[in-house]
């Protein structure tokens, strides 16, 4: 580990000032991702700003039904919160499918959104990686690709985003509240993470001197049902091979509202807009679910080594939608 300075933030605005004044600074929340990267020298900050004791740790429901989740709310506390369990079961299930109970007790909402890819080459300093070292090349292309992208990949990076929580937040049309030198700005979660393009080192649109202070959930859609289904190598403590977050509202025998996102298939949580369009107004039948999968996956491109993901995400989407209407 390379030596660094450590400061404990006293409030969010002063943490932003410290971030702005120290280009080599990084924020520390639960530390479950960042501390690993410090040990591996994947992250080499000059200064760590510890925000873990800032009072950004409450879940509040506003008069209009919006739920505001503080950036420091732990994953386990969020999954257990009555407002989340009752109103957003998809989010509770996504959180509980992530990591292990011990990790969820430390991991925060802000840190989970900003966790970095689990591409093995990203964590291995002896190999080229455009995300870790821009311009050095991508070892995964032509290498080990079992966990890599089938949608929206670039010639510079084929990594996937590892978060479960972020997939549910993408489907739910949640909003990130970021505090920067010019005050707060709101970023829709579906636009928060980036495709790799020719800048794979940038995972999100968050600026270097911005702090996530909260995530907001829109009010519950009356009559909607939702869930999260994750396919992985073992039942616990494993990242998604693929996952589906889905919400449906049926009225008079047809689909009136639908929101779907995929995990494990792209550089960002993947909002399945093609599948949503295909399902809106349709009867909730197996045929309609298969057509929705076809609509979304016509653009999927496998790499040698991850061909299995295309039929797997297809079947997982159909099974998830069937579960919601049964
Ligand atoms: C063995 C293992 C298995 C795991 N399995 C899963 C899994 O199955 N599914 C899953 O979703 N996750 C999984 N995780 C990842 C885990 O969920 C993340 O490590 C955790 O959510 C990160 O949160 P943190 O608070 O610890 O972040 P930290 O490690 O403290 O920070 C992560 C990043 O976010 C930045 N950051 C943190 N908070 C803020 C903020 N408020 N504003 C701006 N920047 C911020 C930090 O600077 C850092 O870059 C696993 C982790 C491990 C170690
Ligand atoms: S897929 Fe992305 S993270 Fe993995 S080696 Fe290539 S550039 Fe690095």
């Amino acid at each position: 580990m390379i030596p660094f300075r450590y400061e404990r933030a006293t409030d969010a605005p002063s943490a932003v000032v410290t971030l702005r004044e120290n280009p080599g600074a990084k924020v520390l929340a639960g530390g479950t991702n960042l501390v690993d990267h410090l040990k591996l020298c994947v992250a080499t900050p000059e200064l760590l700003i510890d925000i873990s004791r800032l009072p950004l740790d409450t879940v509040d429901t506003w008069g209009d039904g919006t739920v505001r989740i503080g950036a420091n709310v732990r994953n386990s506390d969020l999954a257990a919160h009555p407002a989340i369990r009752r109103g957003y079961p998809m989010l509770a299930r996504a959180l509980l499918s992530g990591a292990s109970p011990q990790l969820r007790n430390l991991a925060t909402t802000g840190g989970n959104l900003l966790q970095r890819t689990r591409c093995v080459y990203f964590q291995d300093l002896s190999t080229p990686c455009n995300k870790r070292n821009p311009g050095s090349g991508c070892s995964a292309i032509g290498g080990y690709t079992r966990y890599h992208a089938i949608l929206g990949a670039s010639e510079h990076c084929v990594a996937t985003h590892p978060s479960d929580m972020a997939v549910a937040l993408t489907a739910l049309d949640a909003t990130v509240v970021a505090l920067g030198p010019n005050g707060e700005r709101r970023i829709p979660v579906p636009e928060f993470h980036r495709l790799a393009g020719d800048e794979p080192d940038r995972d999100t649109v968050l600026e270097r001197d911005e702090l996530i202070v909260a995530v907001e959930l829109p009010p519950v859609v009356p009559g909607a049902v939702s869930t999260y289904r994750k396919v992985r190598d073992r039942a616990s403590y494993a990242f998604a091979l693929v996952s589906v977050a889905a919400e449906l509202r049926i009225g008079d025998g047809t689909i009136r509202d639908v929101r779907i996102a995929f995990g494990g298939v792209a550089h960002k949580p993947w909002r399945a807009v093609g599948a949503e369009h295909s399902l809106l107004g349709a009867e909730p039948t197996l045929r309609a679910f298969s057509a929705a999968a076809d609509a979304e996956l016509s653009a999927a491109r496998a790499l040698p080594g991850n061909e299995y993901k295309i039929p797997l995400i297809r079947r997982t989407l159909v099974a998830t939608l069937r579960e919601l209407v049964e």
Side-chain angles (χ1 to χ4, degrees), residues 117 119 121-122 128-132 137-141 148 156-159 200:
T117 184
C119 173
Y121 304 105
F122 176 68
C129 169
N130 285 327
K131 186 179 279 300
R132 179 173 28 79
C138 173
S139 299
I141 296 173
H148 291 74
H156 305 288
C157 178
V158 292

Side-chain angles (χ1 to χ4, degrees), residues 249-301:
R249 186 176 67 84
I250 315 279
D252 295 330
T254 59
I255 298 171
R256 297 305 176 94
D257 286 303
V258 53
R259 299 195 274 193
I260 301 171
F262 295 161
V265 295
H267 192 258
K268 57 183 284 186
W270 186 266
R271 186 69 186 253
V273 179
E276 292 176 352
H277 283 159
S278 161
L279 286 167
L280 259 186
E283 289 179 22
T285 60
L286 197 53
R287 181 185 291 231
F289 299 159
S290 297
D294 290 340
E296 192 62 47
L297 294 170
S298 58
R301 299 284 173 271

Side-chain angles (χ1 to χ4, degrees), residues 204-215:
T204 71
V205 299
L206 195 73
E207 297 296 339
R208 200 202 53 73
D209 54 5
E210 283 182 314
L211 188 70
I212 297 179
V213 289
V215 170

Side-chain angles (χ1 to χ4, degrees), residues 28-107:
L28 177 72
T32 59
N33 192 222
L34 183 55
V35 172
D36 281 350
H37 287 165
L38 295 177
K39 291 183 196 160
L40 293 165
C41 295
V42 168
T44 54
E46 288 161 14
L47 171 65
L48 277 192
I49 307 167
D50 184 348
I51 60 157
S52 63
R53 298 190 195 191
L54 295 185
L56 304 169
D57 57 353
T58 58
V59 179
D60 301 300
T61 304
W62 291 349
D64 68 350
T66 299
V67 175
R68 184 173 165 115
I69 304 162
N72 281 347
V73 174
R74 308 283 169 175
N75 287 179
S76 46
D77 293 336
L78 187 57
H81 196 282
I84 304 303
R85 290 176 60 183
R86 266 200 307 271
Y88 308 88
M90 169 209 291
L91 177 58
R93 292 191 70 159
L95 285 158
L96 291 174
S97 76
S100 64
Q102 293 89 341
L103 283 159
R104 293 196 295 269
N105 286 343
L106 271 178

Side-chain angles (χ1 to χ4, degrees), residues 9-252:
T10 50
D11 54 63
S14 68
V16 170
V17 170
T18 313
L19 268 176
R20 193 187 49 196
E21 289 174 352
N22 294 273
K26 257 192 142 6
V27 165
L28 177 72
T32 59
N33 192 222
L34 183 55
V35 172
D36 281 350
H37 287 165
L38 295 177
K39 291 183 196 160
L40 293 165
C41 295
V42 168
T44 54
E46 288 161 14
L47 171 65
L48 277 192
I49 307 167
D50 184 348
I51 60 157
S52 63
R53 298 190 195 191
L54 295 185
L56 304 169
D57 57 353
T58 58
V59 179
D60 301 300
T61 304
W62 291 349
D64 68 350
T66 299
V67 175
R68 184 173 165 115
I69 304 162
N72 281 347
V73 174
R74 308 283 169 175
N75 287 179
S76 46
D77 293 336
L78 187 57
H81 196 282
I84 304 303
R85 290 176 60 183
R86 266 200 307 271
Y88 308 88
M90 169 209 291
L91 177 58
R93 292 191 70 159
L95 285 158
L96 291 174
S97 76
S100 64
Q102 293 89 341
L103 283 159
R104 293 196 295 269
N105 286 343
L106 271 178
T108 63
T109 305
N112 191 307
L113 279 170
L114 291 170
Q115 63 176 295
R116 308 216 64 193
T117 184
R118 308 305 288 200
C119 173
V120 289
Y121 304 105
F122 176 68
Q123 305 208 49
D124 177 356
L125 261 54
S126 68
T127 59
C129 169
N130 285 327
K131 186 179 279 300
R132 179 173 28 79
N133 184 11
S136 62
C138 173
S139 299
I141 296 173
Y144 182 70
T145 58
R146 185 157 184 271
Y147 294 96
H148 291 74
I150 54 167
L151 286 165
S154 89
E155 59 183 309
H156 305 288
C157 178
V158 292
T160 50
H161 195 271
S163 169
D164 292 295
M165 183 195 80
V167 180
L169 293 181
T170 297
L172 287 169
D173 283 318
T175 302
V176 171
V177 184
L179 180 68
N182 299 319
E184 277 189 4
R185 69 172 175 131
R186 287 178 156 64
I187 309 160
V189 175
E191 294 161 27
F192 181 72
H193 297 93
R194 298 178 65 253
L195 289 179
D198 54 9
E199 276 185 295
D201 52 317
R202 289 190 60 214
D203 294 347
T204 71
V205 299
L206 195 73
E207 297 296 339
R208 200 202 53 73
D209 54 5
E210 283 182 314
L211 188 70
I212 297 179
V213 289
V215 170
E216 291 173 359
L217 303 178
V220 172
V221 178
V225 285
S226 79
T227 194
Y228 182 77
R229 186 179 282 228
K230 174 174 178 177
V231 182
R232 49 191 153 170
D233 283 328
R234 25 171 219 268
S236 169
Y237 207 40
F239 288 92
L241 297 170
V242 303
S243 68
V244 172
E247 181 178 88
L248 283 182
R249 186 176 67 84
I250 315 279
D252 295 330

